[in-house]
Amino acid sequence: MSTITDFLIDISDNMSKKLPIAQKAIKDQIIPLLNFSEPIGMRTFLSIVKSPIVINSIDLGITNKHDFTEKIDKLPIPNGGSPIGYTMQKSLEAMKEKNADKKRIILVTAGTETDGGVYDFEVEKAKKNDNVQVNIIGLGLSGFEEKTAQKVADMSNGVFCNLDLSKGNDDFAIKSTLQPLIDILNGIEPAAAIQEEPKKVEPKVEPKVEPKVEPIKVEPKVEPIKEEPKEEAKPIVNEIKEDIREEKVEPIIKEDKQEALYEAPSPKGVIESKNDYKPSPVYEEPKQQPKANIVFEDKNPIDSKIFVAGSNASEETKLDTIKEIEAKNFEISNILNENMKTIQGFLMKERETKAEIEKLRNAGKESISKIEELKGFNKKAQEEIDRLEAQIGEMSIKIKEFKAAQTEDKEAIRRLKQIDEEVILFEDKEKIHSNSKKREEYTFSLLQKKYPERVVWINKEKKQELGCDFKIMFDKENIEYFIACKGVPDSSKTFFLTKHEWELCLKNNRNYQVYIINDLNENPKVTIIDNLMGWILNGRVRPYASKNQKVKADRVMFTLIA
């Protein structure tokens, strides 16, 4: 099972004072676990005035522990911006072209994107076509940067290890923090990678049961009516008004039957016969009951109707009065039923209104929570804007200093042109041609070992001005590297590029390499400039000669510093 690993190392201003911790962590904990029989690459990245620069310190291929460790030790002094998104895009594109069972990126960074890229978007986009695991070693990340790093690690089934800068170079703290990544390098994948996807369970929808509201039944209370036989005159007890009840009631004595009767108010408005009456020697005042003075269309109270139907009323009048009372009672019952239905409707609406009010309250609470969250994001965004503005101010100062230095360089060049001294003729055509052929033969043998069956020697038969001496083919149509073979004539370490070579380098600055061959006849020494523009920006190559030299036109001079 093959694995490809690409290291992306931030060398921007964000890594200032943090780079030694990153170097120690990689050398002590990561490098010992790497399998150098499998492809491993290293890219360092920064940006100058929003122009991203990605340096292929080690090509994505077979390397060795010594070279890899040396590259880590010689990482340049941090400077410039941090184009994480652009670098992630380039690494993912390179990974896409490689065939391997596992593809792994290890990002080492201490800050946030400064060039407008969105590296979590790049990882999410690449995930649709290629399964690349992204692991991140952070150096004191916090806030938005920490959340973004964790998000990228989670979505790609990688890990995020955030080193605590307050503990410095403490070995135990570094190893404890990097333990998840150490497990991956030992073949132990994160738990999320082996867990099975849970079965999707459809939510059970409970049937909505509407609360059943039982109507309140109001039974009209109708008192029984007792009717006396016609052949015998019977006294009738009637209800009287409140002012009549206060009067004294005298018993009525009939001569024929000698029976004493009296009229007493009935609290329920029931007509009683003499058979139901039991005389008492002492008259007791009946308990006064609260009565509703119910008024109908004729505006007369019910008790006045009963009062009219006295003892002198005919039997037909009594029956009519009783029927009228029953009709009134039935009408009252209907009114009460309608009122109860209306009240029940109001109660239902009240419950619905309370539920709506509760929903609105909850929605208001959620809105307030969202507003507070947005305020927090806004505060962080403002802090980031302030930080970026401060960086822009610092860059403006550096640009002014650079322009001032450039002006000084121009003045120095003008003065040097006026100096009349012995100059060195840099090019001897015959000598150069002879040495050039030998250097190219030696370089060809080196490249054949490193890139077997992929090397094209352009000048093998005839010298051609194509801007390079060798091409390393990625496939039949695509070129992976352009290589120029050079030598230095003396201890000055100065070499030149022709017009065509310089133009080709500018067009392909990230994959244009220069092989410097010294002491070819005795003990050949090879210096490989794997990215000329990167070496110039890092100060390892200077774009001028170290002393006065006279050369042909259309030549660009360079001097090796390291």
Side-chain angles (χ1 to χ4, degrees):
M1 181 178 289
S2 60
T3 302
I4 297 177
T5 305
D6 197 9
F7 283 79
L8 312 182
I9 301 179
D10 189 350
I11 55 172
S12 67
D13 280 339
N14 294 325
M15 294 290 286
S16 182
K17 298 182 181 180
K18 304 172 186 176
L19 189 59
I21 298 176
Q23 290 172 310
K24 178 177 176 59
I26 295 172
K27 286 165 53 180
D28 294 351
Q29 305 299 331
I30 305 302
I31 292 179
L33 302 177
L34 296 178
N35 184 358
F36 288 97
S37 65
E38 295 179 331
I40 298 175
M42 183 194 301
R43 303 168 195 264
T44 54
F45 60 91
L46 74 160
S47 67
I48 303 296
V49 195
K50 297 294 183 180
S51 297
I53 299 171
V54 180
I55 303 169
N56 292 333
S57 300
I58 296 179
D59 297 326
L60 194 56
I62 302 300
T63 184
N64 57 72
K65 183 176 181 180
H66 176 269
D67 291 348
F68 192 89
T69 305
E70 186 178 23
K71 291 289 185 182
I72 294 296
D73 284 333
K74 293 183 179 180
L75 287 173
I77 298 172
N79 185 31
S82 180
I84 304 176
Y86 178 83
T87 310
M88 185 66 70
Q89 178 188 359
K90 291 299 178 184
S91 179
L92 290 169
E93 289 174 354
M95 285 285 189
K96 188 176 180 182
E97 298 172 355
K98 302 290 184 180
N99 292 323
D101 297 318
K102 290 184 180 180
K103 299 179 181 181
R104 182 182 296 143
I105 291 176
I106 298 178
L107 170 64
V108 182
T109 183
T112 186
E113 172 69 46
T114 61
D115 287 31
V118 185
Y119 75 98
D120 52 337
F121 172 74
E122 297 294 341
V123 174
E124 187 174 8
K125 182 175 66 174
K127 186 179 178 182
K128 298 176 182 177
N129 302 318
D130 201 7
N131 188 19
V132 180
Q133 182 190 72
V134 180
N135 303 285
I136 301 174
I137 300 176
L139 287 98
L141 296 185
S142 62
F144 178 76
E145 294 85 356
E146 183 179 14
K147 290 181 180 178
T148 303
Q150 189 63 61
K151 175 185 174 184
V152 169
D154 291 343
M155 78 168 65
S156 63
N157 198 29
V159 294
F160 168 49
C161 306
N162 198 12
L163 295 175
D164 187 352
L165 299 180
S166 64
K167 297 183 180 179
N169 290 327
D170 182 79
D171 291 330
F172 179 77
I174 292 174
K175 184 175 181 180
S176 299
T177 304
L178 296 181
Q179 190 60 49
L181 181 56
I182 293 172
D183 291 341
I184 289 178
L185 297 176
N186 283 324
I188 305 172
E189 294 296 329
I194 59 175
Q195 69 181 11
E196 296 182 359
E197 184 177 350
K199 295 182 180 179
K200 186 175 181 182
V201 180
E202 294 294 333
K204 185 176 180 181
V205 180
E206 296 292 339
K208 187 176 181 181
V209 180
E210 295 292 337
K212 186 174 180 181
V213 180
E214 294 292 341
I216 301 173
K217 294 182 180 181
V218 179
E219 296 292 339
K221 190 173 183 180
V222 181
E223 297 292 339
I225 301 172
K226 298 182 180 181
E227 190 172 334
E228 297 297 330
K230 289 183 180 180
E231 61 269 15
E232 190 178 21
K234 299 174 183 177
I236 300 173
V237 181
N238 298 310
E239 277 193 350
I240 60 175
K241 296 182 179 179
E242 293 295 327
D243 55 347
I244 296 176
R245 288 180 180 175
E246 296 175 359
E247 296 179 3
K248 185 177 181 181
V249 180
E250 297 292 338
I252 301 172
I253 302 173
K254 282 191 175 183
E255 294 179 359
D256 52 350
K257 294 193 177 180
Q258 299 295 319
E259 290 182 349
L261 299 174
Y262 73 96
E263 291 182 354
S266 174
K268 296 183 180 179
V270 179
I271 302 173
E272 300 177 349
S273 67
K274 69 175 184 176
N275 295 328
D276 296 323
Y277 171 70
K278 293 180 181 181
S280 176
V282 181
Y283 171 73
E284 294 181 1
E285 186 72 25
K287 293 183 180 180
Q288 189 172 358
Q289 298 290 337
K291 293 183 62 178
N293 197 23
I294 303 174
V295 180
F296 299 94
E297 293 181 358
D298 57 0
K299 308 300 180 180
N300 293 321
I302 293 176
D303 55 358
S304 66
K305 292 281 185 180
I306 300 174
F307 180 74
V308 172
S311 58
N312 296 325
S314 66
E315 202 66 37
E316 183 178 354
T317 302
K318 295 175 186 176
L319 291 174
D320 291 341
T321 303
I322 292 169
K323 289 179 181 179
E324 185 177 353
I325 292 171
E326 290 178 347
K328 294 295 183 180
N329 285 339
F330 182 74
E331 184 178 353
I332 291 169
S333 175
N334 290 338
I335 292 172
L336 290 174
N337 286 333
E338 290 297 325
N339 289 340
M340 290 308 299
K341 289 179 181 179
T342 303
I343 291 169
Q344 290 169 8
F346 286 147
L347 292 174
M348 288 290 292
K349 289 182 179 179
E350 183 182 11
R351 284 194 288 269
E352 292 173 358
T353 304
K354 287 181 178 179
E356 289 295 328
I357 291 171
E358 190 63 28
K359 287 181 181 178
L360 292 174
R361 284 177 179 170
N362 293 334
K365 291 178 181 178
E366 291 179 1
S367 299
I368 292 171
S369 177
K370 289 288 183 184
I371 291 170
E372 292 299 325
E373 186 177 354
L374 290 174
K375 285 181 179 179
F377 282 134
N378 187 39
K379 183 179 179 181
K380 290 181 179 178
Q382 187 60 48
E383 292 174 354
E384 184 63 20
I385 290 170
D386 294 340
R387 190 181 68 81
L388 291 174
E389 288 178 348
Q391 282 190 350
I392 290 171
E394 293 175 1
M395 291 302 299
S396 298
I397 295 172
K398 289 182 180 180
I399 290 170
K400 290 179 180 178
E401 293 175 353
F402 179 77
K403 287 182 178 180
Q406 191 177 36
T407 303
E408 292 176 0
D409 290 342
K410 288 181 179 179
E411 180 62 23
I413 291 170
R414 186 188 64 79
R415 290 196 306 267
L416 288 172
K417 286 181 179 179
Q418 296 175 354
I419 297 175
D420 186 14
E421 64 182 11
E422 182 181 357
V423 295
I424 301 170
L425 182 61
F426 190 74
E427 294 190 32
D428 184 334
K429 187 173 183 179
E430 293 182 1
K431 185 177 179 181
I432 287 176
H433 179 72
S434 175
N435 291 336
S436 176
K437 190 70 174 178
K438 292 180 181 178
R439 283 195 300 269
E440 288 185 16
E441 289 174 351
Y442 183 79
T443 304
F444 180 73
S445 65
L446 294 177
L447 294 175
Q448 278 289 81
K449 294 178 183 178
K450 191 173 184 180
Y451 307 103
E453 307 300 327
R454 294 168 58 193
V455 184
V456 177
W457 187 359
I458 297 173
N459 304 321
K460 186 174 183 180
E461 303 295 337
K462 181 183 178 181
K463 184 69 175 178
Q464 301 181 62
E465 294 295 331
L466 298 181
C468 63
D469 301 312
F470 300 93
K471 293 181 182 178
I472 307 301
M473 305 302 295
F474 183 79
D475 53 31
K476 291 182 179 181
E477 297 180 356
N478 298 308
I479 300 170
E480 188 171 1
Y481 296 111
F482 300 91
I483 298 176
C485 180
K486 299 293 175 181
V488 293
D490 50 27
S491 60
S492 64
K493 295 185 179 181
T494 301
F495 65 97
F496 70 90
L497 294 181
T498 65
K499 173 184 177 181
H500 299 292
E501 290 171 339
W502 179 241
E503 288 176 347
L504 184 61
C505 177
L506 291 177
K507 291 179 182 178
N508 303 275
N509 62 76
R510 291 186 177 86
N511 56 350
Y512 192 96
Q513 298 183 354
V514 179
Y515 277 53
I516 307 294
I517 312 296
N518 294 329
D519 300 331
L520 184 62
N521 297 324
E522 298 178 4
N523 184 21
K525 296 179 182 178
V526 182
T527 301
I528 301 175
I529 303 176
D530 55 4
N531 186 312
L532 182 56
M533 291 300 293
W535 281 47
I536 292 172
L537 291 172
N538 290 336
R540 299 170 69 181
V541 172
R542 294 178 181 172
Y544 50 81
S546 60
K547 62 182 180 179
N548 295 336
Q549 293 181 352
K550 187 175 182 180
V551 296
K552 286 184 178 182
D554 298 331
R555 299 290 189 270
V556 181
M557 304 299 296
F558 299 92
T559 302
L560 277 172
I561 302 303

